[in-house]
Structure formats: structure tokens, C-alpha cells
């Protein structure tokens, strides 16, 4: 998302962030948002990417890529090992925020993980291990475009034409 930002773009971003604040029960508008996605390249190498938005603007200089080091799940029938997205999500969240703790870095107001309850649970497991369970994370299941939180069993459906869903899709 490059180029000039107009007043309309900024007000749309703030509207979207305010909607997320209300829907997620946050005390303040989430300014810094970090989003994690797990990918398996050519069926073997698993990588993760992290993108960052500040006040709704993508901040490319803060993007990161991670090569997943953990083991893959090995099927019992001896087939090719399968990538374990949950373990990969846990690993990348653990690595990212343990490094931020070491470097006294800026923590996000909102963490988005690509996926549903399983990926979100894996992310919170890593945050809890670091003593950071106070951070707010959500899962975004792209197929259904549902937002998952740790407090609700069902996903939250944001309006399809709303600024909040468009912002999440862009991030």
C-alpha cells in the first residue's frame, strides 16, 4: 500500500480501527497491528511472514520473514511429512516477541494470525510462555472471513462492505 494517503483514506483507516476497537472490546484504538501468515513453499519449506500497519498504513520497513525451524508432523503411514501450521505459528510468535522482549521493542496493540481457532490458540500459547498473554490477538479465517477471539466460541462476521474488513484484508 504505497503512495499518498488522502484525508479520506486516513479517516477510513481510523473508522476501521475504531470498529475493531469496539468489536474486540479494546480500551483504545489499535495503532500498531502485526499480522502473521504461514506458507509452505513447494510442499516442503515452511516460512512465516509478518506485516505491520501503523494507523492503518502499511509499514514495509517493519515487515519480517521467518524460516520455520521446527519439525514437521510425520504421518504414521510413512508418507511425506506434513507441515504443522499450528506449531509453525507458535514458533514464529514465540521468536518475534521473545526478541522484542530482549530488545525492549514496541509491542503491537493488536496481533492478527492467519487462520482460525487453532492458529490463535497456538499464538496465545507462545504469548503465555513469554508472560505476554495480556496482548490481544485474533485469528482471521480468510475463507469465511470470520474474526476469532479467545473469548468467543463463534467467529465474528464483520460487514463485508465495511472499512474494518477491508483494512484486515489489506493487512
Amino acid at each position: 500500500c504505497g503512495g499518498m494517503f488522502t484525508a479520506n483514506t486516513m479517516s477510513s483507516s481510523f473508522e476501521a480501527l475504531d470498529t475493531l476497537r469496539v468489536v474486540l472490546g479494546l480500551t483504545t484504538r489499535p495503532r500498531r497491528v502485526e499480522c502473521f501468515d504461514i506458507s509452505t513453499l513447494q510442499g516442503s519449506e515452511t516460512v512465516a511472514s509478518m506485516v505491520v500497519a501503523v494507523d492503518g498504513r502499511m509499514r514495509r520497513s517493519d515487515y519480517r520473514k521467518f524460516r520455520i525451524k521446527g519439525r514437521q508432523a510425520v504421518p504414521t503411514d510413512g508418507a511425506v511429512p506434513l507441515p504443522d501450521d499450528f506449531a509453525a505459528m507458535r514458533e514464529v510468535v514465540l521468536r518475534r516477541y521473545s526478541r522484542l522482549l530482549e530488545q525492549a521493542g514496541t509491542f503491537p496493540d493488536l496481533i492478527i494470525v492467519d487462520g482460525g481457532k487453532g492458529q490463535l490458540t497456538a499464538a496465545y500459547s507462545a504469548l503465555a510462555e513469554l508472560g505476554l498473554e495480556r496482548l490481544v490477538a485474533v485469528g482471521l479465517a480468510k475463507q469465511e472471513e470470520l474474526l476469532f477471539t479467545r473469548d468467543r466460541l463463534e467467529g465474528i462476521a464483520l460487514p463485508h462492505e465495511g472499512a474494518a474488513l477491508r483494512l484486515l484484508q489489506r493487512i
Side-chain angles (χ1 to χ4, degrees), residues 69-104:
K69 300 173 183 173
R71 301 188 190 283
Q72 295 177 324
V74 179
T76 55
D77 63 4
V80 176
L82 300 172
D84 183 343
D85 280 357
F86 303 142
M89 185 63 72
R90 185 179 190 291
E91 177 183 325
V92 74
V93 169
L94 190 64
R95 286 170 55 192
R96 166 67 180 157
Y97 297 112
S98 62
R99 172 170 261 183
L100 270 187
L101 281 170
E102 290 169 10
Q103 297 176 345

Side-chain angles (χ1 to χ4, degrees), residues 7-118:
N8 283 345
T9 305
M10 287 306 295
S11 73
S12 176
S13 292
F14 288 139
E15 174 190 330
L17 293 167
D18 278 334
T19 298
L20 289 174
R21 179 188 59 77
V22 171
V23 166
L24 299 174
L26 304 174
T27 56
T28 60
R29 176 190 300 150
R31 293 200 63 226
R32 183 179 178 90
V33 178
E34 296 186 355
C35 181
F36 296 91
D37 188 14
I38 306 295
S39 301
T40 302
L41 305 175
Q42 300 175 343
S44 60
E45 185 183 13
T46 302
V47 296
S49 58
M50 179 190 81
V51 299
V52 178
V54 177
D55 290 331
R57 295 172 128 170
M58 303 310 290
R59 185 169 287 182
R60 293 186 188 279
S61 61
D62 288 353
Y63 289 12
R64 298 288 179 267
K65 284 192 173 182
F66 301 84
R67 180 171 282 149
I68 300 302
K69 300 173 183 173
R71 301 188 190 283
Q72 295 177 324
V74 179
T76 55
D77 63 4
V80 176
L82 300 172
D84 183 343
D85 280 357
F86 303 142
M89 185 63 72
R90 185 179 190 291
E91 177 183 325
V92 74
V93 169
L94 190 64
R95 286 170 55 192
R96 166 67 180 157
Y97 297 112
S98 62
R99 172 170 261 183
L100 270 187
L101 281 170
E102 290 169 10
Q103 297 176 345
T106 302
F107 285 91
D109 302 303
L110 179 62
I111 300 166
I112 302 170
V113 297
D114 177 36
K117 277 287 194 186

